Amino acid sequence: FGYKADDFLRLDVQDLHPSHARSQALAGFQALATGAEHRITDLPCVRRDGTIFYADVTGSPVDIDGKDFIVGFFTDVTHRVLAEHALHWETSLLRSLLNSIPDLVFFKDENSVYLGCNEAFESLYGVKEADLIGKTDYDFTSPEQAAFFQAHDRSMLASGRPQRNEEWLTFADGREALFDTLKTPLYGPD
């Protein structure tokens, strides 16, 4: 915090936490004081110089000479919190970009199990991405069409290169369209 030990005797919650986090701090310390909680996570704090940092606070109530206190330990977790914020921002940006593409975009694992899609693809089967994940083409199309799709998946994976093919797709609303489909391998860290 940047204060000397004696300075803390004159400070309270509003001095140590930004205004938008004071109710979180008060509620957290109340929970620590009653023993209902033993940890406050990602609590914004203000240093003496006005800079903000984030802390995880662990604590518990104690009785010292008949008076109730909270013993608390602040651990600076600023790097983790900022990394999580950056990851969330990047994920949101990528999701927005993916959903702005009017083409049908999907991704599957090596067993042709859906891992995700964009909003345009949701219209094909008439389901939300959450209802698509973990399923295969066999859950949404005829066995013949599912086998056709998965044969192209396997062929592309075996070649290790992008492959194009044309396929007739029937949307959930009944319309049919001929698509030029590009399937490409995507390699993750594993």
Side-chain angles (χ1 to χ4, degrees):
F1 281 98
Y3 292 100
K4 295 182 183 203
D6 290 346
D7 294 334
F8 279 101
L9 299 175
R10 295 182 295 278
L11 300 173
D12 63 20
V13 171
Q14 57 227 21
D15 299 313
L16 300 176
H17 303 283
S19 58
H20 71 274
R22 289 181 188 144
S23 61
Q24 177 189 0
L26 288 170
F29 292 128
Q30 181 62 37
L32 292 177
T34 62
E37 294 289 334
H38 298 287
R39 183 177 181 147
I40 307 168
T41 57
D42 303 343
L43 182 63
C45 301
V46 179
R47 291 187 183 94
R48 182 178 186 166
D49 65 7
T51 58
I52 302 289
F53 72 99
Y54 294 86
D56 281 356
V57 183
T58 55
S60 59
V62 294
D63 178 306
I64 301 174
D65 296 331
K67 291 185 177 183
D68 293 327
F69 293 93
I70 303 170
V71 173
F73 299 90
F74 284 69
T75 302
D76 188 338
V77 294
T78 303
H79 291 296
R80 178 185 51 79
V81 170
L82 294 179
E84 287 173 354
H85 288 179
L87 179 60
H88 176 74
W89 185 85
E90 286 186 24
T91 302
S92 296
L93 176 66
L94 289 174
R95 177 54 62 178
S96 295
L97 177 62
L98 185 64
N99 285 328
S100 72
I101 298 170
D103 294 330
L104 308 181
V105 178
F106 64 88
F107 31 106
K108 300 176 182 177
D109 69 12
E110 66 276 5
N111 297 310
S112 294
V113 175
Y114 284 102
L115 300 174
C117 68
N118 68 349
E119 289 174 356
F121 189 86
E122 291 175 341
S123 68
L124 174 62
Y125 293 142
V127 298
K128 293 293 184 188
E129 181 184 39
D131 297 320
L132 180 81
I133 294 171
K135 296 184 176 154
T136 71
D137 297 302
Y138 286 96
D139 294 302
F140 301 104
T141 66
S142 69
E144 297 78 24
Q145 190 172 38
F148 174 82
F149 291 159
Q150 290 191 6
H152 283 279
D153 292 349
R154 285 189 302 278
S155 173
M156 176 271 305
L157 287 173
S159 75
R161 296 183 325 214
Q163 288 188 351
R164 295 185 103 97
N165 65 285
E166 288 185 348
E167 15 189 76
W168 281 95
L169 300 178
T170 303
F171 284 75
D173 63 9
R175 68 185 161 98
E176 292 183 3
L178 179 62
F179 277 79
D180 176 31
T181 301
L182 171 66
K183 293 184 177 182
T184 185
L186 176 65
Y187 298 100
D190 58 355

